[in-house]
Amino acid sequence: MTVAPGSHQITPVITHFLTERLQPKLDKLKESDEEKRQKLIREHEPQNWIADAARRVTQIRRVTHAIKYAHPDAKGSSLFSRGNPIAGDRLAGTHSLNVPTADVVGNAAALDVYKFLRLEVNGTTLLELAKSESDALLDAFGGDDNARIWMKAFADIDSLGDAPASHKLAKQTYWPVGDDGYHLLAPLFPTALVQHQYGFIHHDRFSEAAKSAREARRKNAPYANGYREYPKLAIIKFGGTKPQNISQLNSERHGEVWLLASLPPQWTSRGLKPPCHVESIFGRWLMGFSSIRERVRIIKRFLGKTSHNNLAIRNTRADLTRTIIDDLLMLAIRIQQLPPGWSATPDCRLTQAECFWLDPGRATEDGDFAAERAATDWSERITDGFSRWLNRQLNSDKTPMADAERDHWRSSLADEMHLLREALSHD
């Protein structure tokens, strides 16, 4: 439970804040600048500084969505909004934040006023005290009518003032509606949401715990906690050399907004090598690929569960067979993209038919190879090899494979290779 602070607790906090602002300015003065020294001291007396701050607070606005991220010279409205709760949990937005961190926009020279209002006493900010019309804050400000005026000015920092307005430099979107009409939408940058994201990514990247976890990994040492990485993080800069001209939080982020990579997964090759040291790929070499093993396991399990042979069963079997054939043909394409001529090396033990199939580029460099390839019905041997291999993989007491099944696999692969050759002939 938070205990409401008293004026005797608030006053020292205000005094300390003003002293910290005053001292660096005094330190820059020469000893002969006594007039300037006295002027600064008067300006930083609590009554004088708070009165000036209450006047300047109208130059800034506390917001969650800011317009200047669209263009630094945009003069339209920025808004304080907790988002649209109707959007629900399936969409991430400002509504997802329990307590959004407010940003401040307006005159950069007045941002010190918001730093003042963010001062905490017993866990409560001066702004919260002003909004609640705290008697303790009123006493700390002097307890008179001027103090009430100052408190109201601070409490009104969230009020919009004029009616919401866009600007010619802001982003605008025509959104179609019925009867050939449209709404003109003016999207605003969700700076509060971005700050929340920036906060946890910054912690994951630069906190001492994250640094210690990474160091433990480099040393291959145990560590109690893991860490998160954000690959391909993109950075957008706002405000150039003056990020404070965009907003307070933009200044705290050093003008940076971090964008997570929104990309599809990228295939990383294991560095496929030519299958030179086997007499045929239809054996242990082919079963060395996890996708092929998984396809074989699925079709074998399916065939072992049914003794029927109706149309639905045959269609399912055909679909499962096609997935194996698709994987086989994709693997063949990857091998065919290797530098041509690998099948001519002395250590290549593949059958001639499989060399014709998997190393077609060699025909452009080897005339004899090209002539034999053209004169040989090598695809017949490939389909026969595939059908025999698949029969061996699926054959068991529960799933006995005979010539009928072998002919089925053979026919399936022959159809697929015919279609593939037709497609390649048009390239």
Side-chain angles (χ1 to χ4, degrees), residues 63-216:
V63 302
T64 56
H65 297 73
I67 195 172
K68 283 186 176 291
Y69 288 88
H71 195 285
D73 292 329
K75 306 297 183 183
S77 301
S78 297
L79 302 178
F80 188 96
S81 171
R82 295 188 178 274
N84 180 11
I86 300 177
D89 296 335
R90 295 181 66 86
L91 296 174
T94 306
H95 68 281
S96 307
L97 307 177
N98 292 327
V99 181
T101 301
D103 202 345
V104 179
V105 298
N107 185 359
L111 292 179
D112 60 321
V113 178
Y114 188 60
K115 292 181 180 179
F116 171 74
L117 295 177
R118 290 171 65 184
L119 293 176
E120 288 192 6
V121 185
N122 285 3
T124 305
T125 66
L126 298 189
L127 177 59
E128 291 170 334
L129 292 173
K131 286 179 173 290
S132 65
E133 300 180 351
S134 164
D135 290 337
L137 182 62
L138 182 66
D139 290 342
F141 281 179
D144 55 10
D145 290 341
N146 284 334
R148 295 182 187 279
I149 294 173
W150 300 337
M151 282 182 60
K152 186 176 187 310
F154 294 142
D156 288 343
I157 189 175
D158 292 336
S159 63
L160 185 59
D162 298 332
S166 186
H167 188 263
K168 63 182 181 180
L169 296 177
K171 294 183 182 294
Q172 297 181 350
T173 302
Y174 289 90
W175 188 265
V177 294
D179 300 326
D180 297 326
Y182 63 88
H183 290 313
L184 185 58
L185 305 182
L188 295 176
F189 187 83
T191 178
L193 179 63
V194 167
Q195 181 66 19
H196 178 77
Q197 178 214 42
Y198 180 89
F200 68 72
I201 294 180
H202 188 276
H203 179 272
D204 289 343
R205 296 180 70 192
F206 304 115
S207 67
E208 290 302 319
K211 292 178 181 178
S212 298
R214 291 188 182 93
E215 181 66 20

Side-chain angles (χ1 to χ4, degrees), residues 357-377:
W357 179 33
L358 299 175
D359 192 14
R362 178 180 166 187
T364 63
E365 304 173 350
D366 186 336
D368 293 339
F369 181 86
E372 288 187 67
R373 188 175 188 272
T376 304
D377 190 7

